Amino acid sequence: MAAEIIEFPNRGYQDPLVTSVARLEQMVKEVDRLAAEQPADGLGQLLVVMERFGDRLVDLAHLVLDDDAKRNVQIAFTSLSDKIAATRDAFDDGATDL
């Protein structure tokens, strides 16, 4: 796996928005890699990445949204996390229909 260097606009100060977007880009690349290299075997890892992706989106939302929108984002991603956990449990139990 090749390492990538992310160049930030100002080396002395890292803008939280730029940092969050860079982290999201790295996760998207990880999902793309998993889908290409391990489409079936990487399901557990894909679910982990999706959870991290959701957490990062919530972090990003807190930087750019007002309080009401932040609460809505938090509720939506809590629901997403619950669904990811249910999916993981279903696959761990060997269930085929969700």
Side-chain angles (χ1 to χ4, degrees):
M1 180 161 81
E4 239 179 85
I5 297 173
I6 299 171
E7 192 70 34
F8 291 98
N10 182 346
R11 290 181 174 273
Y13 173 77
Q14 290 184 354
D15 183 304
L17 185 58
V18 172
T19 302
S20 291
V21 170
R23 287 179 183 151
L24 288 175
E25 288 173 357
Q26 289 303 111
M27 283 186 221
V28 169
K29 289 178 185 178
E30 186 175 349
V31 169
D32 287 343
R33 182 189 59 77
L34 284 171
E37 293 175 6
Q38 313 167 12
D41 297 333
L43 179 64
Q45 182 63 22
L46 182 60
L47 292 173
V48 169
V49 171
M50 287 174 63
E51 286 176 321
R52 287 188 359 234
F53 194 71
D55 290 342
R56 293 295 177 208
L57 286 173
V58 169
D59 291 345
L60 186 59
H62 281 268
L63 294 172
V64 297
L65 299 176
D66 63 26
D67 288 338
D68 288 335
K70 287 177 191 178
R71 279 190 289 280
N72 289 337
V73 166
Q74 185 66 48
I75 290 166
F77 282 102
T78 298
S79 175
L80 176 62
S81 267
D82 292 345
K83 289 177 182 170
I84 290 170
T87 301
R88 181 180 290 116
D89 290 344
F91 278 99
D92 287 347
D93 292 341
T96 55
D97 66 62
L98 300 173

